[in-house]
Amino acid sequence: MVYRECNTVAEVFHEVFDLVKWDRSRIETGEETDKVVYYFRGENKNHAPKGSPCPPSTPATPSLFRDDKYLQNEHNIFNEAIRCYPQEFPSSETTFERMTRMAHFGLPTRLLDVSPRLATAIGMASLPSPSDDKEKFFTWNGFIRVYRVNKEKIKYSTSDTVVALSNLARIKPENIKIDDLGYLAYECKNERAGFYWEKDSDVSKKLMRDIKKVWCVRPVNNNVRIQAQRGEFFIFGCENEKDKINASFSEFDYNNPDAATNGIAEIGVLTLTPTLKREVKEMAEILDVTEDRLYPDFGRFHNVINERYGTK
């Protein structure tokens, strides 16, 4: 794991270039380098649970895992969102697509935003969210996490594994039994007719392994934010009764087939200082990371107008 502090945008690009070059030099030459993709995650504050060490020493976790009450009530959160705001979730959408919309509007989910676009991560790590105190925001650090992902860990949103992990959101914890996923499979079949599951079959045994891991998902680009950010996701599975998995993202677990983060390793964390965050704010147009670029929806457009044309 490599840790670096960056004070300028130029340093970020330099450090990422060197980091990826160094990481590739450790991978076997030839076909092995073709099996790897690099992803970036920008965090504009410390998202670690209270009492945990600050990044870079703490692995990233999805918002659902940051509060035990969120996890216990995942099914209530998911179903209440659809019940109260049905207009936001067209009936043609899959459970995964609905979950991505919930994540973009700040609801706790088992998704973690990542992108193969470095500029997106720089913007996410350096620019304030609507709820942030704009004056205090530029006094604390941001972070960019760099991940190496084996292409075998990348799935499309229509895969059986992603359908299964997404539908965890619909189900009470006591109804998830890793050694018998029949209840979950029933929900999945309702969503996707081709979903196959039969107890004690090779397919069911594979699902029992897959559900306890983290996967990278390439979504359908039918969401303006996903298109703008080139957004992809890590989706987190579970242990029995939806207990948290041990998602270490460590180099040691990268080649461990039994590890939750097998095939996905965090190879470096860049700390972005307040000086750098202010530079990004000044260069947002050049970097193409303005708020309307990263969050292209009309509900936030007034923030762009105020920033661009309002009284400074």
Side-chain angles (χ1 to χ4, degrees):
M1 173 78 80
V2 174
Y3 305 119
R4 294 288 187 273
E5 182 177 288
C6 299
N7 290 287
T8 67
V9 173
E11 286 183 15
V12 174
F13 283 97
H14 176 76
E15 291 293 350
V16 168
F17 178 83
D18 282 353
L19 177 59
V20 171
K21 185 178 180 181
W22 166 76
D23 189 65
R24 282 185 173 275
S25 71
R26 300 187 301 157
I27 303 172
E28 294 180 22
T29 58
E31 294 183 0
E32 291 299 318
T33 55
D34 295 334
K35 295 180 180 178
V36 169
V37 179
Y38 293 91
Y39 284 89
F40 309 96
R41 171 173 169 78
E43 299 178 348
N44 67 7
K45 60 173 70 69
N46 176 19
H47 292 295
K50 291 182 179 180
S52 300
C54 183
S57 58
T58 304
T61 58
S63 54
L64 186 73
F65 290 1
R66 296 171 196 162
D67 188 319
D68 288 340
K69 289 185 178 180
Y70 284 159
L71 185 57
Q72 293 164 11
N73 288 282
E74 180 183 21
H75 59 293
N76 289 325
I77 295 169
F78 184 90
N79 291 318
E80 277 293 294
I82 294 174
R83 183 185 74 85
C84 296
Y85 297 94
Q87 70 280 3
E88 297 290 344
F89 306 99
S91 59
S92 60
E93 287 188 335
T94 64
T95 301
F96 177 79
E97 289 171 330
R98 293 175 181 178
M99 193 182 296
T100 63
R101 287 184 62 77
M102 291 179 189
H104 281 151
F105 285 105
L107 291 175
T109 71
R110 57 181 61 249
L111 299 178
L112 199 66
D113 298 75
V114 293
S115 175
R117 183 175 182 260
L118 177 57
T120 294
I122 293 175
M124 294 293 189
S126 304
L127 301 177
S129 303
S131 60
D132 290 326
D133 184 314
K134 301 300 187 292
E135 293 183 4
K136 291 183 179 179
F137 177 81
F138 291 100
T139 65
W140 67 68
N141 293 329
F143 307 92
I144 293 179
R145 299 178 183 272
V146 185
Y147 296 94
R148 182 205 317 131
V149 179
N150 188 301
K151 288 184 179 180
E152 294 181 357
K153 294 292 294 186
I154 301 174
K155 293 184 176 291
Y156 291 102
S157 58
T158 53
S159 79
D160 281 359
T161 299
V162 176
V163 170
L165 268 64
S166 301
N167 275 277
L168 288 172
R170 295 178 174 274
I171 301 173
K172 295 179 180 179
E174 58 266 29
N175 290 327
I176 298 298
K177 307 295 184 184
I178 299 299
D179 59 351
D180 185 358
L181 294 171
Y183 195 103
L184 175 63
Y186 178 81
E187 288 290 339
C188 296
K189 289 178 181 179
N190 285 338
E191 176 174 312
R192 185 169 179 271
F195 188 93
Y196 174 79
W197 185 89
E198 183 178 340
K199 188 173 175 58
D200 296 327
S201 68
D202 290 341
V203 171
S204 68
K205 291 176 182 177
K206 182 177 183 300
L207 184 59
M208 289 163 57
R209 295 190 297 269
D210 288 354
I211 203 170
K212 297 190 291 184
K213 298 182 182 297
V214 178
W215 299 87
C216 183
V217 187
R218 286 181 171 161
V220 177
N221 286 329
N222 59 355
N223 179 304
V224 290
R225 287 197 191 181
I226 290 175
Q227 293 171 1
Q229 299 170 6
R230 283 195 65 194
E232 300 186 20
F233 300 91
F234 289 162
I235 186 169
F236 285 59
C238 70
E239 293 287 351
N240 205 44
E241 297 188 353
K242 295 172 74 170
D243 283 347
K244 297 176 188 177
I245 55 176
N246 179 25
S248 67
F249 294 106
S250 70
E251 290 272 13
F252 176 80
D253 285 340
Y254 184 82
N255 290 311
N256 177 7
D258 296 323
T261 51
N262 165 243
I264 306 177
E266 186 176 78
I267 62 170
V269 179
L270 306 183
T271 298
L272 278 57
T273 65
T275 299
L276 169 54
K277 291 165 70 175
R278 285 189 286 269
E279 183 182 62
V280 172
K281 185 176 184 295
E282 294 298 321
M283 297 179 61
E285 292 280 355
I286 296 174
L287 292 169
D288 197 24
V289 294
T290 55
E291 185 172 353
D292 56 329
R293 176 67 170 86
L294 295 178
Y295 306 101
D297 55 71
F298 192 64
R300 296 179 66 156
F301 189 55
H302 71 280
N303 293 331
V304 179
I305 295 301
N306 289 340
E307 181 69 23
R308 192 173 296 168
Y309 303 113
T311 301
K312 303 297 183 183

